[in-house]
């Protein structure tokens, strides 16, 4: 485990566990829901990366140009039929560089059922009020490659409010595949709305959260325009995931295409302030 810290911020990161974040604390306050010790896999992390796609690919099957791809389900029982969340979250990451407030991790993927080689980098840097998380992917193959990126942070649900406005969301099947887009302007109410596991669209501003003691502003750049919200019934956490695409996007021509050697990066800034209300 690697610990980054400054005067107010502490991050715990485990390169061997998906390069994931175990804790994010500000002034002694828990910002991410901390790692769940009864869940030893990546789903117990406080935040993990999504690469080279987020959420599900239906039955792990898609075509890209003249290439037909079949990926086995990679994390049952969380997804017993579909490929989910890509490779990075269940991989070991190499430490490229580190200091007291910065960390650079790298994951190298060789062709397998995902028939492209690529390299992914995480660069994490603390700030005075939070941290910046940069995620990049480089296509190391000789042909074009589809790609998607995102982050999957968990937050404490008790007394939480999400103030960001969306213009709609994707209705889906029981196993999380989108069916039709629904026009619904407003914010998702964590205390009243039904359990949800879908992508919300039309976010125009940063993602704004509030708890009794503090506020969090999560600012994804324009490369992550969609927002997957996962708020399961009966749990003490919820997830708000800035992502580049909707679920099963590769079967809807919704992933980015990277040329051979092309690098694509995105950045999310987390900033915490006291709640003075």
């Amino acid at each position: 485990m690697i610990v980054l810290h400054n005067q107010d911020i502490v991050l715990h990161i485990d390169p061997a566990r998906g390069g994931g974040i175990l804790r994010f604390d500000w002034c002694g306050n828990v910002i991410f829901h901390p790692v769940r010790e009864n869940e030893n896999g990546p789903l117990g992390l406080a935040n993990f990366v999504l690469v080279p796609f987020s959420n599900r690919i239906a039955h792990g099957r898609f075509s890209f140009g003249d290439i037909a791809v079949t990926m086995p389900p990679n994390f049952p029982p969380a997804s017993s039929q579909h490929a989910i969340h890509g490779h990075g979250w269940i991989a070991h990451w190499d430490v490229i560089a580190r200091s007291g407030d910065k960390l650079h991790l790298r994951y190298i993927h060789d062709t397998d059922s995902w028939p492209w080689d690529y390299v992914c980098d995480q660069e994490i840097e603390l700030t005075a009020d939070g941290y910046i998380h940069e995620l990049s992917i480089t296509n190391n193959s000789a042909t074009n490659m589809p790609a998607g990126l995102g982050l999957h942070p968990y937050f404490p649900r008790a007394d939480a409010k999400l103030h960001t406005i969306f213009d709609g969301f994707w209705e889906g099947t029981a196993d999380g595949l989108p069916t039709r887009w629904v026009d619904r302007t407003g914010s998702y109410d964590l205390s009243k709305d039904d359990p949800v596991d879908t992508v919300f669209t039309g976010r125009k501003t940063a993602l704004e959260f509030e708890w009794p003691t503090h506020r969090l502003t999560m600012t994804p750049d324009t490369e992550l325009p969609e927002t997957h919200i996962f708020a399961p019934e009966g749990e003490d956490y919820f997830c708000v995931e800035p992502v580049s695409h909707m679920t099963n996007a590769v079967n809807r021509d919704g992933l980015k295409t990277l040329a051979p050697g092309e690098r694509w990066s995105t950045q999310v800034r987390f900033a915490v302030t006291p709640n003075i209300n």
Side-chain angles (χ1 to χ4, degrees):
M1 184 181 69
I2 294 172
V3 179
L4 305 182
H5 62 88
N6 59 23
Q7 182 173 343
D8 294 332
I9 305 299
V10 179
L11 278 184
H12 293 192
I13 304 113
D14 190 346
R17 195 172 172 184
I21 292 176
L22 309 181
R23 290 190 70 93
F24 170 26
D25 294 351
W26 166 82
C27 295
N29 294 279
V30 172
I31 306 304
F32 290 161
H33 190 291
V35 65
R36 293 172 296 288
E37 299 301 340
N38 62 340
E39 173 58 73
N40 293 322
L43 293 178
L45 291 165
N47 187 11
F48 56 81
V49 300
L50 304 168
V51 58
F53 60 89
S54 78
N55 217 276
R56 296 159 179 83
I57 294 176
H59 305 287
R61 298 192 185 105
F62 66 94
S63 295
F64 185 74
D66 59 357
I67 301 173
V69 178
T70 300
M71 303 176 66
N74 60 330
F75 203 80
S79 184
S80 59
Q81 303 180 60
H82 315 299
I84 186 169
H85 293 335
H87 309 118
W89 70 312
I90 51 178
H92 176 92
W93 291 65
D94 295 321
V95 177
I96 303 303
R98 61 177 290 188
S99 64
D101 61 358
K102 295 180 183 179
L103 178 64
H104 181 185
L105 301 176
R106 177 170 293 162
Y107 165 64
I108 299 175
H109 178 81
D110 296 324
T111 298
D112 52 15
S113 60
W114 179 268
W116 297 276
D117 299 325
Y118 67 84
V119 175
C120 189
D121 290 277
Q122 292 187 68
E123 297 184 66
I124 297 170
E125 180 177 0
L126 301 190
T127 62
D129 56 4
Y131 80 100
I132 297 169
H133 202 149
E134 181 173 311
L135 182 63
S136 67
I137 185 170
T138 302
N139 178 10
N140 274 1
S141 299
T143 60
N144 288 348
M145 180 184 80
L149 295 173
L151 297 180
H152 196 302
Y154 290 74
F155 300 100
R157 190 161 183 169
D159 302 317
K161 296 178 182 178
L162 174 62
H163 296 294
T164 305
I165 303 298
F166 305 99
D167 69 4
F169 65 94
W170 285 92
E171 282 190 344
T173 62
D175 56 350
L177 297 177
T179 53
R180 71 183 185 100
W181 182 78
V182 176
D183 184 346
R184 195 195 82 170
T185 300
S187 60
Y188 178 79
D189 189 331
L190 294 164
S191 64
K192 296 179 181 178
D193 286 0
D194 293 334
V196 67
D197 183 7
T198 194
V199 170
F200 285 69
T201 62
R203 185 190 75 235
K204 302 300 183 185
T205 63
L207 291 154
E208 300 282 352
F209 306 82
E210 179 185 358
W211 290 267
T213 57
H214 59 276
R215 293 173 176 265
L216 170 68
T217 301
M218 182 166 65
T219 308
D221 67 15
T222 57
E223 298 298 311
L224 301 176
E226 310 296 344
T227 307
H228 193 112
I229 298 180
F230 175 50
E233 187 173 12
E235 297 289 351
D236 64 350
Y237 64 81
F238 66 97
C239 302
V240 177
E241 310 157 34
V243 294
S244 62
H245 58 276
M246 65 180 291
T247 300
N248 198 32
V250 72
N251 283 305
R252 296 170 175 258
D253 298 321
L255 290 192
K256 190 178 183 72
T257 297
L258 298 182
E262 184 177 358
R263 181 179 185 268
W264 173 40
S265 65
T266 186
Q267 185 184 96
V268 180
R269 178 183 290 268
F270 298 85
V272 190
T273 56
N275 190 346
I276 58 177
N277 289 339

